[in-house]
Amino acid sequence: MTTRSAALIAEIRAIIKGRVIAKPPLSHYTSFRIGGPADVLAEPESAHELAVLIRRLHELNVPHVLLGSGTNVLFQDAGFRGVVIRTVAMKGLTIERNGADHVRITAAAGAPLPLVVGRAARDGLTGIEALCGIPGSFGGAVATNAGTGGVSLGDALVRVRLLDGRGKELVLETGDIHFSYRSMELPADATVVEGTVRLVRGDRASVRKALSAAMERRRATQPWRQPSAGCVFKNPSPDNPAGAIIDRLGLKGMSVGDAVVSEVHANFIVNRGSATASDVLALVELIRRRVKDAHDINLELEVRVIGEGPANV
Ligand SMILES: Cc1cc2nc3c(=O)[nH]c(=O)nc-3n(C[C@H](O)[C@H](O)[C@H](O)COP(=O)(O)OP(=O)(O)OC[C@H]3O[C@@H](n4cnc5c(N)ncnc54)[C@H](O)[C@@H]3O)c2cc1C
């Protein structure tokens, strides 16, 4: 460890109670099991620690990136030069009545999305049951506007607490929350601290039924046992899903190194064992070229590529 990084680690340890790790292999923190080392990984335990940390990193001019559960990212093989702030230790969840028919659930950035969805279903609350089975943290789901089949978290979101790049708090309420397909319009460098969804009281049995149906659909159609980062590409349009386009071109099973187009769902690239980020990105380029040549469609990445690399797309 260099003197500079030892000093940085000491600074971070003085700010947060959670884990601070030097040179962590980012492959250990992503569902893809891919990624080189970061300089430092830090796990704040509260919104206050998070704000102080971001403010201090800004003063020191040290780059940082937010990480939730790492289910939608591809870290480059060279890793990330700076601090990866992982939110998993920030897990609070509160529930409040909002009139006779509505309930608001506020979840901290690190709360697992499945926990929030499950809690809503337990109380018979409807609005986010379609998100059942999407892995990841609540903050990651807000940042990426996670969703499926035309429903996204943004539809239910009524409040988002953020920090700007200097650690200053901002609050977005309903009219200020703008989102589109797999994208939340947040100020540059914003960190999601917590979010609030407004749900409607429904029938517990039918909410649970919807949940099980969503889960069964996923199990049947996605390679959920293999390391991946979910869908690699955004759908060009709702009636023209990327997976179907790739499948029709016969690209299932195509591989570069240990990165393979899933046989189960053609919009998933799975890591057969020792895939690198370069393998995945090379495969991404092959798929894009085939789709462009055949249909003149430019596939856009849904997975977020983070870190320094030769082909940062
Ligand atoms: C098997 C599988 C199935 C999936 N199915 C779906 C699906 O149906 N629909 C769907 O939308 N997604 C799906 N995904 C992708 C992923 O689960 C979601 O995008 C999820 O919401 C990401 O949450 P995360 O905590 O893992 O985010 P991460 O992967 O940790 O981060 C994703 C992005 O959000 C940023 N980020 C994370 N936390 C914060 C924060 N607190 N503040 C600001 N930025 C932040 C990161 O910097 C990164 O750019 C799937 C993934 C897998 C592996």
Side-chain angles (χ1 to χ4, degrees):
M1 201 190 307
T2 63
T3 318
R4 188 168 175 271
S5 53
L8 177 62
I9 286 172
E11 284 250 10
I12 297 174
R13 288 214 167 108
I15 295 170
I16 71 168
K17 288 200 217 79
R19 292 198 304 171
V20 181
I21 303 170
K23 293 277 167 220
L26 291 168
S27 54
H28 290 194
Y29 301 93
T30 67
S31 55
F32 231 152
R33 302 278 170 258
I34 292 174
D39 290 339
V40 181
L41 182 135
E43 295 181 349
E45 292 186 349
S46 68
H48 174 71
E49 286 184 9
L50 179 63
V52 177
L53 175 60
I54 289 178
R55 201 174 310 139
R56 189 66 188 133
L57 294 176
H58 175 73
E59 287 163 2
L60 294 170
N61 204 16
V62 173
H64 74 270
V65 69
L66 265 293
L67 184 66
S69 306
T71 62
N72 197 37
V73 292
L74 175 65
F75 279 113
Q76 293 273 15
D77 299 319
F80 180 75
R81 301 287 66 77
V83 178
V84 173
I85 302 177
R86 192 163 174 254
T87 60
V88 293
M90 297 170 52
K91 283 196 162 57
L93 195 144
T94 55
I95 302 183
E96 50 180 320
R97 281 221 182 99
N98 189 227
D101 298 331
H102 291 90
V103 170
R104 288 160 69 113
I105 299 186
T106 299
L113 178 66
L115 187 93
V116 183
V117 173
R119 183 57 216 266
R122 207 174 81 201
D123 291 359
L125 304 172
T126 174
I128 53 172
E129 60 274 25
L131 310 188
C132 172
I134 301 181
S137 68
F138 195 77
V142 172
T144 61
N145 189 27
T148 184
V151 180
S152 69
L153 187 59
D155 298 318
L157 212 54
V158 290
R159 191 170 185 270
V160 185
R161 220 171 114 209
L162 301 167
L163 296 168
D164 71 10
R166 294 161 182 254
K168 187 168 165 278
E169 187 171 305
L170 307 167
V171 176
L172 304 181
E173 305 275 358
T174 311
D176 316 315
I177 300 173
H178 302 291
F179 57 90
S180 54
Y181 169 57
R182 297 299 170 272
S183 165
M184 187 64 63
E185 285 177 31
L186 299 176
D189 297 330
T191 294
V192 176
V193 176
E194 66 175 31
T196 303
V197 286
R198 185 167 183 259
L199 307 173
V200 185
R201 283 188 196 285
D203 169 51
R204 199 170 295 188
S206 40
V207 174
R208 287 198 176 164
K209 206 167 150 200
L211 221 67
S212 324
M215 206 61 216
E216 255 173 57
R217 230 175 7 253
R218 265 174 199 280
R219 294 238 155 110
T221 57
Q222 295 185 356
W224 55 278
R225 284 176 191 278
Q226 287 174 291
S228 80
C231 285
V232 175
F233 301 104
K234 292 183 180 176
N235 294 327
S237 68
D239 54 359
N240 197 15
I245 300 173
I246 299 166
D247 193 2
R248 280 197 304 269
L249 289 171
L251 303 185
K252 278 182 170 172
M254 183 164 74
S255 63
V256 174
D258 266 354
V260 189
V261 178
S262 167
E263 296 281 359
V264 182
H265 190 314
N267 198 12
F268 278 62
I269 290 179
V270 295
N271 176 1
R272 205 160 40 189
S274 54
T276 62
S278 313
D279 293 338
V280 173
L281 293 173
L283 187 54
V284 160
E285 278 320 303
L286 286 177
I287 298 167
R288 276 180 160 166
R289 210 172 312 138
R290 293 286 295 272
V291 171
K292 175 77 179 164
D293 289 348
H295 301 290
D296 199 23
I297 291 173
N298 294 310
L299 285 181
E300 230 183 282
L301 277 185
E302 180 170 327
V303 167
R304 319 284 172 115
V305 181
I306 304 179
E308 299 81 25
N312 203 344
V313 277

